[in-house]
Amino acid sequence: MSNPAVFVPHFHWDREWYEPFQVFRHRLVTALDTVLETAETDPDFRFTVDGQMAAVEDYLEMRPENRDRVAALVREGRLAVGPWLILLDEFLCSGETIVRNLQMGWAAAERLGGAMPIGYLPDMFGHVAQMPQILARAGIEHAALWRGVPGTVDGHAFRWRAPDGSEVRTEFLFDGYDNGLDVLLVPDRIRSALAEYAEMTAGRWGGDPVLAMSGTDHNAPDPRLADWLRKASGGERPITVATLDEYVRKHVRDDVTAVVTGELRSHVRGNILPGVLSVRLGLKQRMAAAERTVDHAERMNALWSGRDDANFLALAWHKIIESTAHDSVVGSGTDETCDQVAARLAEAAQTARAVRDAALAEPAAGVPGDAYLVANPLPSPRTALVEVDVVAAPDGGTLVATTADGAAHPVQLVSQAPTVLSDERLDASQLERVLRRIHRRELFGLLINGYELTPNSLVFHLAEVPEGSFDLMTLRGEVAAAAAAHPGEWQVRTLAQARATALVAVPVPAAGLAAFRVGTGDMPAAPALRGATATADSLSNGLVEVAVAADGTLDVTGVDGTVLSGVGRLVDGGDRGDSYNYAPPAHDVLVSEPARVAVELLETGPLRARLRVTRVYEWPEALADGDRDRRGGRTVPTPVDMLVEVRAGEPFVRVSTSFLNRSADHRLRLHVPLPLPVTTSASAGQFAVTERGLTAEGGWGEYPLPTFPASTFVAAGPATVLLDHSAEYELVDDGSALAVTLLRAIGSISVNIHPLRDEPAASEIPAPGAQDLGMRIENRFAVLPWASGWQGANAVALAEEFRGDCLVTRGTAPGGAPLPPDTAGLHVDGRDVHVSGIRRITDPEHGPGTELRLTAMRDTATAVRVTGAFTEATTVDLLGRPLAPEPVRDGLELDLGPWEIRTVVLR
């Protein structure tokens, strides 16, 4: 008998793409109406809702009356929903976001009757290395996917192994998630068409059933599908209609021997569209900002607030996760779609910021109003460099910060604010108009500290923290009497207290709080931090040295003597591609040498030293008119500012680039030349550090450019670059330099004829917003030289310090009171251990707790010690289900295996 066939009716639903979300949702409602009617009419019909609960949630928001109908089909096993909330791009969000996506999708599916226990990942543009561990630690044993599988897999299934050794059996959709549609084109020929397809792909199936995924983008299956298949079934090839879950559980063998370890980014059986990593830079930056803000909000809420803001945090996470969809954050949609994604991410960050600030306001209520509170979001102690507004020192005075223990800490004056805010002359009859500016005590954003009223003169003295009381009604009466007694011209002056912007170095405990006050005093004799210094063209802090070369690039020397020369070289080239794939014009013009270079000394230390390097480039304005294979002859002068900064105590140099983009159809990359060529690079993100070579595997219709994703850092040889947001990088010049993409500007979602891709990725729809014309393009990163690479440099910890600035807020208690003592939160001590989340949880059975998620970011085991205000600890899976209690003896001791993700709940 021939192989049986299993048809899986489904659709793939891009929530937003070449149309915005609400337009696609209108189609979604029609499609799921059809699915429900078909399922209720035909008991043989099954349907798989694309593995993402967002489609179900979006439907039920418009059709709430159908919730019971949906739930009934889910409980019967005829409608497979979940496990994800949304089908995400795995490389353009954090690992924690992937976990929250799975958690929220699973919970939503459970409320309807149960989640499909399959890691269905049909259309992602490649897959992260730790996905098998994420699935396995949620109790999911199977996955199904298409893109990125290497050429070593010659069957229809393999065992996918994460770096820690976790495995999931994975169904390889080698012909895509719509391979059954061609068989269904002519209903009367299904039997013969199926026979032809089975014969053509026999080498893949062996003796297993033929899987026919019967669905495509944005369309419900024909209601007659099950009837067609009943008629075609029988004879030598029986046909079954099933959900994807039923196919995996009932129709396939589990004794798969082929093993693939790590990330899936091969082009051999499908396009992975790597250009999405670098298009629409703003979306990548907004994603990172939103993730960072909600992470900090959760930590502050869990550690320092008595308020349960779980609903606000869930809303922020939901909006972030919605935005991770593989046609959302990637930027491959129309301009209006991308505008909506940007707005959603902004709303997520705003929601999280409100929770974060409210949480900090609680301990700030115990800090005097003339002092500041610093909160450390990282579970390790650090010295925070914070910028605050303070009362300026009198002439000849020195500003010094003091902490609760009485210790003095250095202060660096950054700028001084003007004291005269207004100086007006007006008739006495107009004085009442001046008083209307006062709102209770507030004037011009400050508070009235006092006033001087003399004949024909009124002087207001303003302060941020006023002394004594103020009565507006008394002032009104006094001014009215004085105006009547002294008619004619009056002078009204508004003077602010002399204030300055100061940089302060404050020691803060692990995940803890510290308060400080700035005033005049004696500079501490021996600062805890070695100072930063600057000359007209160099910076140093004793750990890293920077010299500006004549061409505006940097020579960076690390604490171990490692020298990186030419750092910051900019190379601009044309791009005739689209949002999915970069493509250089056949006759490209590369611009790498500036026309002019200027260096400006901004700050000389002792806490922070800064230079600004301005390089002016002549970049072509666009591709040539009528010839996309040439860059045009007209150029535009483009100044690129590079802010170069070293801080006391940091072994890396911070670099920020900024320019106003006036050119279209181009790609700009920043180069970090290496002392010697290398053959491998490594980048961190999604709970792993992934090593890659100089090439990528090809074999499909897409040229395998070796451009790769990085999230928190990328390293090559002795150079490690710490990142502010997800980025695209490549080893160039035969491994002699690391190139990080700063901007890729294009004008179309897809182009029909692409030199590096055989088939269109979508329709050729204009996307002028993806050119970023007239936009200020800013990138922030740091360069860390270390001879032994990222592990020797402690890059895992330093990347978190670079990204995770301490939070600072002014105290709200009466000024002048003593400072509260420092307070520690959770302290996690372990080399190369990444803490991706600290949050408050509530378990109906076990009560409230604090959830802590850790990952060993190394290929050897590591010991971790956790201390804080807890007496019990339980290891849980990624869905929060208890696994095993952990002994707590003056803290929690954990042994993490290589690359292990561990979640514990502390009580």
Side-chain angles (χ1 to χ4, degrees), residues 640-721:
V640 180
D641 288 332
M642 184 166 66
L643 184 65
V644 188
E645 172 184 321
V646 298
R647 296 183 179 183
E650 290 185 344
F652 49 80
V653 54
R654 294 171 180 257
V655 179
S656 301
T657 60
S658 174
F659 64 94
L660 185 67
N661 183 43
R662 300 171 60 199
S663 298
D665 306 308
H666 69 126
R667 181 181 70 173
L668 177 67
R669 302 206 284 188
L670 180 140
H671 285 217
V672 179
L674 306 174
L676 295 170
V678 298
T679 57
T680 60
S681 63
S683 77
Q686 298 84 35
F687 305 125
V689 180
T690 302
E691 188 170 295
R692 306 181 180 100
L694 294 174
T695 60
E697 184 182 36
W700 187 249
E702 181 179 59
Y703 186 82
L705 283 175
T707 53
F708 299 111
S711 291
T712 57
F713 68 79
V714 56
T720 298
V721 178

Side-chain angles (χ1 to χ4, degrees), residues 35-46 73 76 78 222-230 241:
V35 167
L36 294 186
E37 292 165 7
T38 303
E40 292 168 343
T41 301
D42 190 334
D44 288 341
F45 183 75
R46 303 286 189 274
L73 290 169
E76 292 169 12
R78 298 171 57 210
D222 192 294
R224 299 167 292 178
L225 173 62
D227 188 50
W228 294 343
L229 295 176
R230 278 191 293 267
V241 178

Side-chain angles (χ1 to χ4, degrees), residues 229-302:
L229 295 176
R230 278 191 293 267
K231 294 175 180 177
S233 184
E236 294 188 355
R237 193 182 309 277
I239 294 174
T240 303
V241 178
T243 64
L244 185 61
D245 180 28
E246 290 174 322
Y247 167 76
V248 169
R249 284 189 294 106
K250 298 179 180 179
H251 298 283
V252 300
R253 293 176 294 108
D254 199 33
D255 57 344
V256 178
T257 57
V259 175
V260 177
T261 299
E263 72 174 0
L264 306 179
R265 287 195 64 84
S266 170
H267 306 253
V268 73
R269 287 294 303 182
N271 298 336
I272 64 168
L273 311 170
V276 300
L277 298 172
S278 52
V279 74
R280 296 194 193 260
L281 167 71
L283 292 183
K284 282 63 173 176
Q285 292 173 325
R286 284 182 182 270
M287 175 60 70
E291 289 178 321
R292 188 157 51 241
T293 306
V294 73
D295 176 38
H296 289 180
E298 284 191 329
R299 297 181 188 215
M300 297 302 105
N301 181 260

Side-chain angles (χ1 to χ4, degrees), residues 175-257:
D175 268 348
Y177 54 78
D178 60 354
N179 70 313
L181 288 188
D182 287 349
V183 173
L184 302 173
L185 281 175
V186 182
D188 292 341
R189 291 197 67 250
I190 290 176
R191 184 178 297 181
S192 59
L194 178 59
E196 292 168 6
Y197 179 74
E199 182 180 356
M200 181 175 63
T201 58
R204 290 275 179 185
W205 303 112
D208 292 338
V210 175
L211 172 62
M213 297 293 291
S214 307
T216 188
D217 298 359
H218 307 127
N219 282 285
D222 192 294
R224 299 167 292 178
L225 173 62
D227 188 50
W228 294 343
L229 295 176
R230 278 191 293 267
K231 294 175 180 177
S233 184
E236 294 188 355
R237 193 182 309 277
I239 294 174
T240 303
V241 178
T243 64
L244 185 61
D245 180 28
E246 290 174 322
Y247 167 76
V248 169
R249 284 189 294 106
K250 298 179 180 179
H251 298 283
V252 300
R253 293 176 294 108
D254 199 33
D255 57 344
V256 178
T257 57

